[in-house]
Amino acid sequence: MEVAAVSQEPDVRVLVVDDQEPYLRAMRAVVDATNGFTVVGTAATGQESLDVARDLVPELVLMDVNLPGIDGIEASRRILSEGTGTVVVLLSTYDRDDVDLAGSGAAAYVPKGAFGPDRLIEAWTSAHGDG
């Protein structure tokens, strides 16, 4: 008799932050298609991401680097300074070398064009030392 392994862990709660609707939808679709992850909220600006993160306390924030007002780097710093254990993964259309990630505290950087379920899982497990 075979018994399918069923995870007792609840889904990772994800906040998706991007000011461009097509990218926001694409990132949300990747999360929705990845077992073990669920989108609990979205935001379109750095300031909005701070407010939503404070209200929802997500475990993972997928943060666009280039946002109006407070950019993704500064928003990441502020979210991480709350000390809730939230993991931030930065995403951008720019090459990693073109983005100053210093001091952001982000667990990973993923180019938007390379973002998919495998990269989501990889970033999450790497941040938790599970992989």
Side-chain angles (χ1 to χ4, degrees), residues 16-99:
V16 180
V17 183
D18 202 303
D19 63 320
Q20 296 181 22
E21 187 64 31
Y23 285 118
L24 190 70
R25 283 195 314 266
M27 286 192 289
R28 183 180 192 122
V30 167
V31 174
D32 288 343
T34 307
N35 287 337
F37 294 83
T38 188
V39 174
V40 295
T42 60
T45 68
Q47 182 61 53
E48 188 181 358
S49 75
L50 300 177
D51 298 338
V52 174
R54 200 168 293 119
D55 290 344
L56 298 178
V57 192
E59 295 164 275
L60 175 63
V61 177
L62 300 176
M63 178 79 70
D64 182 25
V65 170
N66 298 301
L67 295 168
I70 300 168
D71 68 18
I73 304 281
E74 180 61 23
S76 296
R77 282 190 201 108
R78 293 186 192 184
I79 287 171
L80 294 169
S81 74
E82 296 284 326
T84 60
T86 298
V87 171
V88 176
V89 173
L90 292 170
L91 295 106
S92 178
T93 55
Y94 297 106
D95 289 333
R96 182 185 183 104
D97 295 342
D98 296 332
V99 179

